[in-house]
Amino acid sequence: MLILLGILLSVVAGFGTFQYSRALESELATARVSLRAFGETVLVPVPVRDLAPGSILGQDDFMPVKMPGSYLPDNVLQKLPPETEGGFVALAALRKGALVLKGDIATSAGGPDYGFILSGDARAIAIRAQNLDDFIDRLKAGDPLDLLWTRNTGGGTTETRMLGSALRILALPTGGGEGPLADKLILEGASQDAMRVVEASSSGVFSILPSAHKLSLDQEEFVVGPADLATLPLVVREGQADGVAQVAARARCQTAIVRGGARSVMDVPC
């Protein structure tokens, strides 16, 4: 009996070990698939502490962190500018351990001096915004703006398109100064944003809206026209009587109501 019990326990133990090994092999295979999906890892620089806009930065202000390269967005900074170019400056607030975008830092030397610093391969865009006076007292260099363009499409109709999202302000109008840029707002954007503005400058007017985050213009295009506004709820007012607005009478239609076997007809707004 002892021999049979020993054999039985050996069989059970062997079966348990086999099942445990199979489970480990399955987990290992799943982990290998996940690692292959991540692809090659790259070293990405992240700040070692919180950094304020305008801070002069160096290599010691960052530490390398391994990240899967295939999962990194294209606008994430993967390589710091070399120290030989005179260092670089923070264009936005950088948080400790957070990924840095290409537009968040710029070289502080080694390029032409236009009176402002461009980040990466960005472009300067000069526009005359029709509603700039609405926000001028609250705007400053470095603030993000959405750029809108309104044009006439014929037949008394217009349409408004978003040309750029969260474009950084490089310089505000000088106010009373002389020169072609005296009354223009200078923004920083990608080359695609600059090309859109150059094309749109031949017709229509520009407007701005303060923003906080960049919207993606790749998946859908924002276009608004009178037809879109016409679908919104509407209240028509005929005039003022004793200081109280009088709501215009709307056309009325007849509708039949059946209740408890009885049918009645009522006038209701169409």
Side-chain angles (χ1 to χ4, degrees):
M1 291 296 294
L2 291 176
I3 293 174
L4 292 177
L5 182 59
I7 295 174
L8 181 60
L9 290 176
S10 300
V11 172
V12 172
F15 182 76
T17 303
F18 173 75
Q19 290 294 102
Y20 181 69
S21 301
R22 290 292 301 272
L24 290 179
E25 289 178 359
S26 178
E27 291 182 8
L28 180 59
T30 303
R32 286 175 176 172
V33 172
S34 300
L35 289 175
R36 279 195 290 267
F38 276 112
E40 183 181 357
T41 58
V42 295
L43 289 176
V44 179
V46 299
V48 296
R49 61 180 182 277
D50 293 341
L51 300 169
S55 302
I56 303 300
L57 309 175
Q59 302 285 343
D60 295 338
D61 294 313
F62 296 86
M63 62 179 180
V65 174
K66 280 189 175 182
M67 298 285 292
S70 59
Y71 283 80
L72 282 178
D74 294 335
N75 61 341
V76 170
L77 184 70
Q78 297 189 26
K79 187 177 181 181
L80 293 173
E83 290 279 8
T84 55
E85 293 188 6
F88 39 96
V89 61
L91 301 180
L94 306 179
R95 292 186 296 107
K96 177 181 178 181
L99 294 176
V100 179
L101 302 182
K102 293 180 179 178
D104 289 342
I105 67 172
T107 55
S108 57
D113 183 12
Y114 300 108
F116 44 77
I117 299 177
L118 292 172
S119 62
D121 58 350
R123 304 290 187 271
I125 306 168
I127 62 149
R128 185 180 288 108
Q130 63 172 351
N131 65 336
L132 179 60
D133 292 339
D134 298 340
F135 304 104
I136 188 65
D137 294 336
R138 298 181 178 271
L139 296 177
K140 62 183 184 300
D143 290 344
L145 293 176
D146 290 341
L147 180 60
L148 310 179
W149 173 58
T150 302
R151 66 162 183 159
N152 228 326
T153 56
T157 61
T158 60
E159 70 175 15
T160 299
R161 296 173 179 260
M162 181 179 288
L163 297 185
S165 176
L167 304 181
R168 186 170 64 94
I169 297 178
L170 293 175
L172 294 167
T174 56
E178 298 181 356
L181 297 178
D183 61 343
K184 289 189 176 182
L185 182 67
I186 303 180
L187 306 174
E188 179 191 73
S191 56
Q192 183 179 9
D193 301 321
M195 293 296 291
R196 287 173 175 167
V197 171
V198 170
E199 177 64 26
S201 298
S202 60
S203 63
V205 295
F206 295 108
S207 304
I208 57 172
L209 290 177
S211 64
H213 304 287
K214 186 175 182 63
L215 301 175
S216 174
L217 300 182
D218 297 331
Q219 306 202 355
E220 62 175 314
E221 188 175 19
F222 298 91
V223 183
V224 178
D228 301 284
L229 303 182
T231 61
L232 299 176
L234 173 67
V235 175
V236 181
R237 301 181 182 274
E238 288 183 332
Q240 302 285 337
D242 298 328
V244 179
Q246 302 294 322
V247 180
R250 296 174 59 185
R252 305 182 73 83
C253 301
Q254 289 188 338
T255 183
I257 300 177
V258 179
R259 180 184 300 161
R263 182 178 183 274
S264 59
V265 179
M266 297 180 61
D267 288 339
V268 297
C270 296

